[in-house]
Amino acid sequence: MQPTTVGRFRVQRREDDVFTLVEIPDEPIDPDDPAAADAYAPLRVDGDHSAVADPLEPGWIVDATLAWSGQKAGIEEIEVVRESRIHVADEVTGMFEAAREAWRNARAAGDAVMSTTTRGRDGSPNGALYLFADPPGRDTLSALADGSLPIEPLIARVNARLEDDDPRAVFLLRPDSDEYVAVLVAFQRDGILARTVRDTYDIGSALADRLDLVEEGAGVYASIEEGTTDGSVDDVSTDRPGN
């Protein structure tokens, strides 16, 4: 009889018939906790996936039984719990000005990581934005995409803040001209923020006319005007609080 592992996992990455899963602990673990590296360690699943009838998308939460054969694990049983999504985009052109300004502020302060809240036009919070340094020689985007640099604690913070576990849209975006990677956790998987980002950066399809992003943590306010024919972001302005 094959040994098995039973748990709740996030589908972190999918490459053909190879899945990268991250087990979700019963209670979130702070990323600064020494135990976080092991708790959120990615698991390569490249064995027999005969139980997988439909494609599994990155970001989905699943309850699964993994059957082990030597060092290989295959999916023996699976049930989709929540259809959150993870989207990855490299060499992004026209990164929204609020992220660029926030990164300039982070560099001036000597910070390699920063976080802030995004808000819709009505002023309501609609997402959490994190920026990570991506200096030459370090592939931060790949580390975030494959789970070796955990994003699960960032999503857990959003869940705790909203006191729910609704489906989210998580965007991993690396600009073509700056040395950072943006992680944007949109509170609603198919809300205006998520649809606008997908449309603006050609990740799937979306339709939205206008989105305001308010960078509270960096003290930066940005208005992003949509509606151009090529899906680009234009007419971006920034002001500091009190001006």
Side-chain angles (χ1 to χ4, degrees):
M1 183 176 179
Q2 291 179 309
T4 59
T5 299
V6 179
R8 178 160 291 185
F9 304 87
R10 186 180 301 279
V11 180
Q12 182 75 33
R13 173 179 269 183
R14 174 173 59 87
E15 297 175 289
D16 298 324
D17 291 329
V18 178
F19 298 98
T20 300
L21 305 181
V22 173
E23 188 166 9
I24 300 177
D26 293 336
E27 296 293 334
I29 299 176
D30 190 281
D32 295 328
D33 190 316
D38 290 335
Y40 294 114
L43 175 64
R44 180 182 173 90
V45 181
D46 55 356
D48 178 15
H49 304 316
S50 56
V52 181
D54 299 311
L56 300 178
E57 298 296 339
W60 283 11
I61 301 294
V62 298
D63 286 338
T65 299
L66 309 180
W68 292 85
S69 178
Q71 297 298 313
K72 286 194 171 186
I75 300 174
E76 186 175 80
E77 296 180 7
I78 191 164
E79 179 182 356
V80 177
V81 176
R82 189 161 52 257
E83 295 185 0
S84 293
R85 289 300 309 274
I86 296 174
H87 304 280
V88 182
D90 198 1
E91 297 186 353
V92 170
T93 59
M95 182 68 82
F96 51 90
E97 174 60 25
R100 298 199 301 267
E101 179 70 14
W103 181 242
R104 288 193 289 268
N105 290 345
R107 290 183 63 188
D111 296 331
V113 180
M114 66 81 63
S115 63
T116 188
T117 297
T118 63
R119 293 179 183 270
R121 187 133 187 89
D122 62 356
S124 300
N126 59 10
L129 175 67
Y130 302 86
L131 299 184
F132 292 82
D134 186 40
R138 181 190 303 171
D139 192 346
T140 305
L141 181 64
S142 291
L144 289 163
D146 67 19
S148 54
L149 182 58
I151 62 173
E152 201 59 42
L154 309 182
I155 302 171
R157 287 177 181 175
V158 170
N159 293 344
R161 174 179 177 176
L162 299 180
E163 298 182 339
D164 65 42
D165 55 2
D166 290 347
R168 318 289 181 207
V170 182
F171 298 91
L172 312 180
L173 308 172
R174 177 159 58 187
D176 63 345
S177 58
D178 285 303
E179 295 177 354
Y180 69 87
V181 175
V183 179
L184 176 62
V185 183
F187 293 169
Q188 297 180 342
R189 183 194 59 194
D190 297 313
I192 292 176
L193 174 60
R195 290 186 286 116
T196 300
V197 173
R198 288 197 299 263
D199 185 59
T200 300
Y201 301 117
D202 196 23
I203 307 172
S205 61
L207 178 63
D209 295 326
R210 185 180 180 91
L211 170 71
D212 278 2
L213 295 179
V214 181
E215 303 276 338
E216 285 185 332
V220 178
Y221 295 74
S223 175
I224 297 182
E225 298 286 343
E226 296 291 322
T228 55
T229 57
D230 61 357
S232 62
V233 177
D234 57 6
D235 193 19
V236 177
S237 61
T238 61
D239 295 290
R240 297 191 180 279
N243 287 358

